[in-house]
């Protein structure tokens, strides 16, 4: 069974500080993809970053980086130099390959609040 | 580019009514997805399509149907609406070009069944 777990319902971070949002996953697929999305209070889903299971290096996109630890089955999102506009819900997601085709599985999300 | 568009934005249905949620993308993506998001939860996959004429069930397909006659359009049909289908519905299309993999979401449809 495919499963994504986000254990932090809510997080607070001081503006300009870095923050790590946790995500662990479980899959039987030998090949898979890991994603992070941002959902502001306005409701839209915004793609942030992608990591393939065979990628040797951790993915980075601007202030976002994905700390991928395959043996531990974790894919934590690191946001550096937090900004007030980073306050939002953040969802971790996984896409399988062989066993689950092209289906995506989402975690329950972490609410991030950036404090001025 | 408009990206992924969804209509309507809001809808209230009575129990037992039916409706179609429209989704259109102008990025020529083969993959398209329908999700529902219940309050305080993540997204759950209802149906997806890997190309025109090909659809498959996701985690929560009961009570829904889809069709994909063109690359651009992927409508979601609700038959005999039930209160349990009250949710926000998101459509997405997916670009798969190595080394990245990106889903683009529509703005969502907020559906209430009373």
């Amino acid at each position: 069974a495919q499963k994504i777990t986000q254990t932090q319902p809510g997080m607070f971070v001081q503006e300009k500080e870095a923050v790590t949002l946790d995500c662990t996953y479980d899959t039987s697929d030998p090949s898979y993809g890991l994603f992070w999305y941002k959902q502001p209070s306005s409701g839209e889903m915004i793609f942030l970053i992608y990591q393939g299971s065979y990628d040797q290096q951790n993915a980075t996109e601007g202030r976002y980086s994905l700390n991928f630890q395959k043996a531990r089955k974790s894919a934590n999102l690191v946001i550096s130099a937090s900004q007030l506009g980073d306050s939002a819900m953040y969802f971790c997601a996984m896409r399988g390959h062989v066993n689950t085709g092209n289906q995506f599985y989402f975690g329950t999300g972490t609410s991030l609040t950036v404090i001025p | 580019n408009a990206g992924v568009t969804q209509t309507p934005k809001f809808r209230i249905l009575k129990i037992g009514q039916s409706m179609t949620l429209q989704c259109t993308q102008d990025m020529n993506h083969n993959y398209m997805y329908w999700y529902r998001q219940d309050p305080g939860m993540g997204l759950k996959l209802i149906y997806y399509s890997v190309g025109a004429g090909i659809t498959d069930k996701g985690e929560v397909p009961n009570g829904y149907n889809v069709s994909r006659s063109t690359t651009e359009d992927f409508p979601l049909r609700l038959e005999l609406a039930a209160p349990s289908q009250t949710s926000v519905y998101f459509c997405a299309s997916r670009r798969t070009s190595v080394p990245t993999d990106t889903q683009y979401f529509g703005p969502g449809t907020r559906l209430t069944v009373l």
Side-chain angles (χ1 to χ4, degrees), chain A residues 82-97:
Chain A
S82 297
Q83 302 172 355
L84 295 178
D86 294 334
S87 294
M89 285 291 292
Y90 288 81
F91 292 96
C92 181
M94 176 177 65
R95 186 258 308 138
H97 184 63

Side-chain angles (χ1 to χ4, degrees), chain B:
Chain B
N1 279 350
V4 179
T5 57
Q6 291 182 239
T7 56
K9 286 188 168 52
F10 303 93
R11 183 72 185 268
I12 298 175
L13 281 182
K14 294 182 179 178
I15 294 171
Q17 288 185 319
S18 300
M19 75 164 294
T20 299
L21 280 65
Q22 301 292 345
C23 176
T24 301
Q25 54 101 358
D26 62 359
M27 296 172 282
N28 201 34
H29 293 161
N30 285 326
Y31 295 89
M32 294 188 74
Y33 299 82
W34 273 106
Y35 296 92
R36 60 177 286 172
Q37 184 179 28
D38 298 332
M41 302 295 289
L43 277 66
K44 288 194 180 298
L45 182 64
I46 305 171
Y47 271 95
Y48 66 101
S49 169
V50 300
I54 307 170
T55 63
D56 208 346
K57 296 177 181 178
E59 274 189 282
V60 290
N62 291 345
Y64 306 94
N65 275 301
V66 293
S67 59
R68 184 95 182 272
S69 57
T70 66
T71 299
E72 295 77 20
D73 300 308
F74 190 39
L76 177 72
R77 178 82 178 162
L78 278 72
E79 304 282 1
L80 299 175
S84 61
Q85 292 178 304
T86 294
S87 191
V88 179
Y89 292 83
F90 288 98
C91 177
S93 71
R94 176 179 165 213
R95 176 172 66 100
T96 57
S97 55
V98 178
T100 191
D101 185 342
T102 310
Q103 279 191 96
Y104 298 88
F105 284 84
T109 294
R110 187 174 296 274
L111 176 67
T112 302
V113 182
L114 300 174

